[in-house]
Amino acid sequence: MTNATHDQTVDLRKPAADNIMARFSQTLVAFAERWFPDAYVFVLIAVVAVAGGAILHGGSPLAVSRAFGDGFWNLIPFTMQMALVAIGGYVVAMSPPVAALLSRLASVPKTGRGAVVFVGMLSIALSLLNWGLSLIFSGLLVREIARRSDIRLDYRAAGAAGYLGLGCGFTLGITSSAAQLQANAGSIPASLLPITGVIGFSETILTWQNMLTVAAVTVISAVICYFTTPAPAQAKTAEDLGVVLGDDRIEAKKPVRPGDWLEFSPILTILIAVLACGWLWQTFESGNPLITLSGLNTYNFVFLILGIVLHWRPRSLIESFSKAMPSVSGVLLQFPFYAGIAQILTKVPNSHGTTLSDTIAHWFVGASSNSTVFSFLVGIYSALLGFFVPSAGGKWIIEAPYIMKAANDIGAHLGWTVMVYNIAETLPNFINPFWMLPLLGILGLKSKDLIGYTSVQFFIHFPIVMLLAAILMATFTYHPPILP
């Protein structure tokens, strides 16, 4: 090899880093690709760490083991729901009308870097309506853009951008579980109602403070996407990563025997759609349709029926469903382990009768001296617990009693306390592959491929958003719980 050739090789290996953010991102990307384990290994490490923490906290080893086994299957309904979120989105996206829409959207960006920013902004915007739609649609859009031959797309950076809605968006929108629960008196547990009262959306997701937070995280995310995306010479395409994109569209076929006739006829599709219309009408006729759609069972039913209609013929739907199945293998394998982690954290008491999650929560809220400090500490606590129990707000019922009691005692606005909890809870998703699994299945990647980029989002977002949430707490005036 000549010196000239050697120098050229060295240059090509240098990261496209003409700014500190790019250098930082490429360092994290290189570290993750070398050291970050598979998502399954990651969750096993988390199980061992939490089990060890519970034992050190005073829980008996036998109680920890019992909690792990008892909780292991607690997320089975949610696991099935998540699997159908991925499959339903995939099925709809592979239908001819939506495939055409994806193709048109994929043609919008003019450069690889522009494509990454475009995917990220769309991911956040969709997550404010529905996190499932954001996750699946963004992943399929990345695949579609990656098929273009006129731009060189870094497939890893684009995939990470498609995950932005789950990292910093969805709990700020209509799909916030905690905000939804607090807005409906009938959903609030009787023991919690006197502490929190009913907190309407006008005090949570529809406040100008939350709108400002949404704008802030969107701008921050766009800037990070832009400056961390490698230049074309250093970009790794889907082909470079060994991902075979192929064509997701279903090939048109014809029946070859009399028994195939119904598979290629729309008659059954029409009858099923008519049957579903009555339920859909009754479900959506009262209340906000976006809130109604945020329920996972309703969301999955709508998307499955939509997929049936868009594919029109049963054979097309069957084939698209089969193609979608590989995208949910990680979900089915790993979600039960997260359920075991949650059980250990919340159900193993020490000799004083307190669990590890209780101790962590009481330490954080007890260290508060005023509402601003309280806001900051609640955010840190929410992020810490959210790393080990990524429940999309489902754990709010467990944690709300002591968090909201402390908010009342210190005079912190109850609605914004809910939003601080929401804002912080999603940020660990950037470094925990739990919610990433359906997206990884669609993209054909591993968590190590995205974590380097999403970690940059986490490290930059966390201090800025936590500080913003604490400052905004001072703009609210406390009032006691409003009881129905």
Side-chain angles (χ1 to χ4, degrees):
M1 179 185 293
T2 65
N3 288 336
T5 304
H6 176 73
D7 292 341
Q8 188 178 35
T9 303
V10 172
D11 288 341
L12 288 174
R13 289 180 179 177
K14 288 181 180 178
D18 56 356
N19 62 80
I20 188 171
M21 195 181 297
R23 291 194 295 272
F24 180 51
S25 70
Q26 291 307 304
T27 298
L28 288 180
V29 168
F31 177 84
E33 288 181 341
R34 184 172 178 83
W35 293 104
F36 198 85
D38 184 83
Y40 173 62
V41 175
F42 180 91
V43 71
L44 295 185
I45 294 173
V47 170
V48 173
V50 171
I55 292 172
L56 291 176
H57 182 251
S60 74
L62 185 60
V64 171
S65 176
R66 177 68 179 269
F68 176 65
D70 287 346
F72 197 78
W73 302 116
N74 284 352
L75 285 182
I76 286 300
F78 180 65
T79 301
M80 187 64 176
Q81 289 171 328
M82 277 294 291
L84 285 173
V85 165
I87 292 172
Y90 210 121
V91 165
V92 168
M94 283 193 289
S95 65
V98 180
L101 173 61
L102 280 169
S103 181
R104 285 195 293 272
L105 287 174
S107 67
V108 172
K110 303 304 179 186
T111 65
R113 178 170 285 168
V116 172
V117 175
F118 179 70
V119 170
M121 297 306 93
L122 185 63
S123 174
I124 293 175
L126 289 176
S127 74
L128 298 175
L129 299 177
N130 190 281
W131 62 265
L133 178 63
S134 169
L135 189 68
I136 304 307
F137 193 87
S138 298
L140 292 166
L141 178 59
V142 170
R143 285 176 61 91
E144 192 65 31
I145 297 174
R147 293 189 178 97
R148 289 177 54 179
S149 59
D150 58 326
I151 62 173
R152 187 169 173 82
L153 178 73
D154 189 286
Y155 196 59
R156 306 161 303 169
Y163 190 59
L164 284 177
L166 272 291
C168 62
F170 79 102
T171 54
L172 304 181
I174 202 72
T175 52
S176 166
S177 299
Q180 286 181 25
L181 181 141
Q182 292 296 159
N184 186 352
S187 301
I188 304 173
S191 59
L192 181 60
L193 186 59
I195 301 173
T196 67
V198 177
I199 306 172
F201 284 164
S202 62
E203 294 193 89
T204 54
I205 62 175
L206 296 183
T207 59
W208 68 261
Q209 291 89 342
N210 187 54
M211 306 288 185
L212 177 61
T213 304
V214 170
V217 299
T218 302
V219 171
I220 293 169
S221 299
V223 171
I224 297 172
C225 283
Y226 183 84
F227 284 107
T228 58
T229 300
Q234 283 76 31
K236 286 190 177 182
T237 65
E239 183 180 1
D240 295 333
L241 296 167
V243 177
V244 180
L245 295 173
D247 191 344
D248 290 330
R249 288 173 294 187
I250 305 300
E251 182 182 352
K253 297 179 180 179
K254 295 181 178 180
V256 296
R257 62 190 184 91
D260 295 336
W261 183 75
L262 282 176
E263 295 180 18
F264 292 88
S265 168
I267 291 177
L268 291 176
T269 295
I270 294 170
L271 293 175
I272 293 297
V274 170
L275 181 64
C277 280
W279 184 87
L280 292 171
W281 172 259
Q282 289 184 323
T283 301
F284 284 91
E285 69 173 339
S286 60
N288 188 314
L290 291 177
I291 296 177
T292 302
L293 187 62
S294 66
L296 281 179
N297 285 338
T298 303
Y299 174 86
N300 282 328
F301 185 80
V302 169
F303 263 73
L304 185 56
I305 295 299
L306 184 60
I308 289 173
V309 172
L310 290 175
H311 280 276
W312 199 235
R313 291 171 174 79
R315 171 46 54 188
S316 176
L317 181 88
I318 292 169
E319 292 189 16
S320 68
F321 209 92
S322 298
K323 284 190 174 185
M325 287 305 295
S327 69
V328 301
S329 60
V331 172
L332 297 176
L333 174 62
Q334 295 170 47
F335 274 28
F337 289 93
Y338 283 102
I341 289 173
Q343 189 81 357
I344 294 172
L345 272 172
T346 60
K347 299 298 182 182
V348 177
N350 59 16
S351 58
H352 302 291
T354 59
T355 66
L356 182 56
S357 65
D358 290 336
T359 298
I360 296 171
H362 288 120
W363 184 88
F364 275 114
V365 298
S368 305
S369 58
N370 55 57
S371 61
T372 301
V373 174
F374 172 77
S375 173
F376 193 75
L377 292 179
V378 165
I380 295 176
Y381 160 70
S382 179
L384 177 65
L385 202 63
F387 179 80
F388 291 103
V389 190
S391 68
K395 63 185 187 298
W396 171 250
I397 294 178
I398 299 173
E399 298 156 21
Y402 38 80
I403 290 178
M404 298 300 268
K405 182 179 183 302
N408 281 311
D409 292 342
I410 206 166
H413 187 267
L414 298 179
W416 191 243
T417 299
V418 173
M419 292 313 298
V420 170
Y421 179 90
N422 278 338
I423 292 166
E425 185 191 30
T426 59
L427 293 176
N429 291 346
F430 281 131
I431 52 178
N432 185 332
F434 178 85
W435 294 105
M436 200 180 285
L437 294 174
L439 180 64
L440 293 173
I442 290 172
L443 297 175
L445 295 176
K446 294 186 176 180
S447 54
K448 67 179 180 62
D449 297 312
L450 304 190
I451 286 290
Y453 290 99
T454 58
S455 295
V456 180
Q457 296 280 355
F458 173 79
F459 287 122
I460 295 177
H461 270 93
F462 189 80
I464 297 175
V465 174
M466 287 298 92
L467 182 60
L468 178 62
I471 292 173
L472 289 175
M473 177 64 84
T475 66
F476 288 92
T477 300
Y478 170 80
H479 63 77
I482 299 175
L483 300 177

